[in-house]
Amino acid sequence: MVASVFQLQCSCNNYPWGKKGRESLTATLCAKTLNTGFEIDESKEYAEMWMGDYPILPAKCLKSGEELHKIVNDNKEQLLGKTCIEKFGGVVPFLPKILSISKALPLQIHPNKELSEQLHKKDPEKYTDPNHKPEIAIALGPFEVFAGFKDNNDIQDLFSALPPLERFLPRKDVNFDNEVLKQICYKILTASDEEIRTTQAELAKLPREKYGKQAYMLDLLPRLQEQYSQEDPGNLVALLTMNFLSLSAGDAIYVPADAPHAYLSGDIVECMARSNNVLNTGFCPRADADSIELFTSALTFSPHSAEEVKLGTSKTEKSISGKTSVYAPPMSEFNMLKTSLQAGEKESIRAIGGPSVLFATSGTGKLMADGNTHEIKEGYIFFVGQGVEVSYEASNELVVYQAYAE
């Protein structure tokens, strides 16, 4: 019988949009776990730290070095519980991550479950599972993101006021609806390099007042051009059609399957259904982009405003002392708890009927669970099996996130 609570060691990937060296919170948190052999290389970008049982970049038991998915597979009923197994199969159904973002991630969607099943069957090496990937992102500091589509009226205002955009309209005097928006996205994504470059140059010359409340686009355009190129169609799709949000620590968003998004800058906690499927079409070399036809055909139009993108918090009955709130996205695979304690404060989380992964983003303290006491501090990560109550006692200001399913 395996322990129901054990510390994890995790690792980072090195996508070029990540932050370099110790500027990356991803890297500095990963390095806090001792005796893993991980050392920060100041010349490398550190983008993501994965903290789940997905076989790509898997978490491992710190003590034994065994991969989490193998431990879970050998002890399903003890660690997951019958209900979770019946609902999601014999795996941890969510994948938490820490991301450190220095420039825009590819403009992307995560395909829905039906499309993921088709893609996985057709190309299992590229689409490595048949699952969907709705996700949340929680800001750990300033966080900029493009997510979901703007209100159609706001998009129509731009296309009516800015003559260079007429080339992307399916016809004149068009009444904007979601089908028209899909056609516009397709026309932009399939436009030539010259059309994309010319359009951006013409837009940059127009008076700021022409843009109304969306004049922020003129400030973002040079940043995006510098990060990728003046020929990248993602610049136009993101600026013209998508919500731009500038969030602060604790703010969160929910991105459903098939919703377009591109994180632009910041450090975040991310959690998603257990999948790695993605379709990219912008903020990347054209040769690396996926099928534009597939991308645009799969697009969904919820959320359709900045407010619809945001995910709030609420009190949770899991908390005994009231020091914990919950991010509860409209999906079944997980919720995310956030416990915030001052020095000397305590909190207990009632036993959960499924697995959880908890991790500290700041502070130090004690973690009491399953009859044992563990040190917990910034960067420490633990797996907690189903049916285990967890308690914290803070030595100084302690913040712990806990992703769980049940």
Side-chain angles (χ1 to χ4, degrees):
M1 183 185 234
V2 71
S4 289
V5 180
F6 50 90
Q7 191 173 355
L8 298 174
Q9 65 177 87
C10 299
S11 52
C12 303
N13 56 32
N14 305 103
Y15 295 134
W17 49 260
K19 295 183 180 180
K20 272 194 173 182
R22 285 177 174 79
E23 293 182 358
S24 170
L25 181 64
T26 294
T28 57
L29 289 179
C30 188
K32 295 291 184 180
T33 301
L34 302 178
N35 303 316
T36 66
F38 176 76
E39 294 183 4
I40 299 174
D41 183 338
E42 294 296 340
S43 68
K44 288 184 177 180
E45 293 89 1
Y46 295 94
E48 302 175 328
M49 177 170 66
W50 291 24
M51 299 178 283
D53 72 340
Y54 202 85
I56 298 173
L57 213 65
K60 300 176 182 179
C61 174
L62 178 62
K63 185 176 181 179
S64 69
E66 190 174 7
E67 292 183 354
L68 180 58
H69 65 92
K70 294 179 181 177
I71 298 173
V72 169
N73 187 61
D74 291 341
N75 303 273
K76 292 187 184 74
E77 289 203 11
Q78 177 194 343
L79 299 179
L80 302 180
K82 290 183 179 180
T83 301
C84 188
I85 293 171
E86 290 172 359
K87 288 174 69 174
F88 305 113
V91 296
V92 178
F94 54 83
L95 176 56
K97 304 178 182 179
I98 300 289
L99 273 63
S100 290
I101 305 152
S102 67
K103 67 176 185 178
L105 276 69
L107 175 62
Q108 61 189 253
I109 64 170
H110 301 302
N112 61 55
K113 189 167 289 189
E114 181 181 358
L115 180 55
S116 291
E117 289 172 353
Q118 296 171 8
L119 294 173
H120 177 65
K121 186 175 181 180
K122 183 178 180 181
D123 188 354
E125 289 192 9
K126 180 174 182 178
Y127 304 100
T128 52
D129 59 78
N131 202 16
H132 65 169
K133 191 183 172 185
E135 63 191 25
I136 67 170
I138 305 169
L140 294 174
F143 172 42
E144 296 177 306
V145 56
F146 293 105
F149 286 112
K150 300 176 184 178
D151 184 277
N152 281 338
N153 291 328
D154 290 337
I155 301 171
Q156 184 159 9
D157 287 345
L158 287 174
F159 278 78
S160 298
L162 307 176
L165 302 182
E166 291 179 2
R167 57 173 59 94
F168 301 121
L169 292 172
R171 56 190 179 277
K172 290 186 177 181
D173 301 320
V174 68
N175 182 35
F176 271 64
D177 57 21
N178 291 340
E179 184 55 38
V180 168
L181 180 53
K182 183 179 289 190
Q183 293 175 38
I184 287 172
C185 288
Y186 181 82
K187 291 196 73 171
I188 294 174
L189 291 170
T190 56
S192 68
D193 288 354
E194 178 62 28
E195 286 179 295
I196 297 297
R197 184 171 53 249
T198 298
T199 301
Q200 292 180 67
E202 292 171 348
L203 290 174
K205 293 177 182 178
L206 294 175
R208 194 174 185 89
E209 55 268 21
K210 278 272 193 181
Y211 290 80
K213 65 180 182 181
Q214 300 180 73
Y216 66 86
M217 291 170 45
L218 292 173
D219 303 319
L220 288 173
L221 180 58
R223 284 178 60 187
L224 298 177
Q225 291 174 332
E226 183 179 359
Q227 289 180 8
Y228 290 95
S229 73
Q230 297 182 25
E231 293 80 29
D232 196 311
N235 298 345
L236 293 178
V237 172
L239 291 172
L240 298 173
T241 72
M242 294 172 62
N243 302 298
F244 172 71
L245 295 89
S246 184
L247 304 177
S248 301
D251 295 338
I253 62 170
Y254 168 64
V255 181
D258 297 334
H261 58 289
Y263 301 155
L264 185 55
S265 70
D267 297 305
I268 63 171
V269 170
E270 188 184 44
C271 195
M272 61 209 62
R274 187 183 187 273
S275 176
N276 194 39
N277 294 327
V278 63
L279 297 171
N280 298 324
T281 58
F283 302 148
C284 62
R286 285 190 188 251
D288 295 341
D290 292 300
S291 164
I292 294 169
E293 289 78 6
L294 185 61
F295 178 91
T296 53
S297 66
L299 284 173
T300 190
F301 298 94
S302 177
H304 219 323
S305 72
E307 286 305 309
E308 289 181 17
V309 175
K310 295 177 182 178
L311 177 67
T313 62
S314 59
K315 295 180 179 179
T316 172
E317 61 182 15
K318 305 294 185 189
S319 169
I320 292 177
S321 300
K323 304 292 185 180
T324 300
S325 57
V326 63
Y327 298 88
M331 54 185 289
S332 62
E333 282 85 353
F334 69 88
N335 287 336
M336 179 73 76
L337 302 177
K338 180 184 179 182
T339 300
S340 300
L341 301 177
Q342 299 299 316
E345 290 186 334
K346 300 178 181 180
E347 171 67 298
S348 293
I349 306 299
R350 290 185 172 89
I352 292 171
S356 61
V357 173
L358 64 86
F359 48 97
T361 55
S362 63
T364 60
K366 296 178 182 178
L367 164 66
M368 288 74 73
D370 203 28
N372 296 305
T373 298
H374 307 266
E375 180 185 21
I376 185 168
K377 64 180 184 179
E378 181 183 36
Y380 279 25
I381 308 157
F382 290 84
F383 178 85
V384 181
Q386 59 87 25
V388 177
E389 183 174 298
V390 171
S391 297
Y392 307 107
E393 182 177 343
S395 301
N396 55 36
E397 187 174 349
L398 179 67
V399 177
V400 179
Y401 290 87
Q402 182 173 356
Y404 73 91
E406 62 180 0

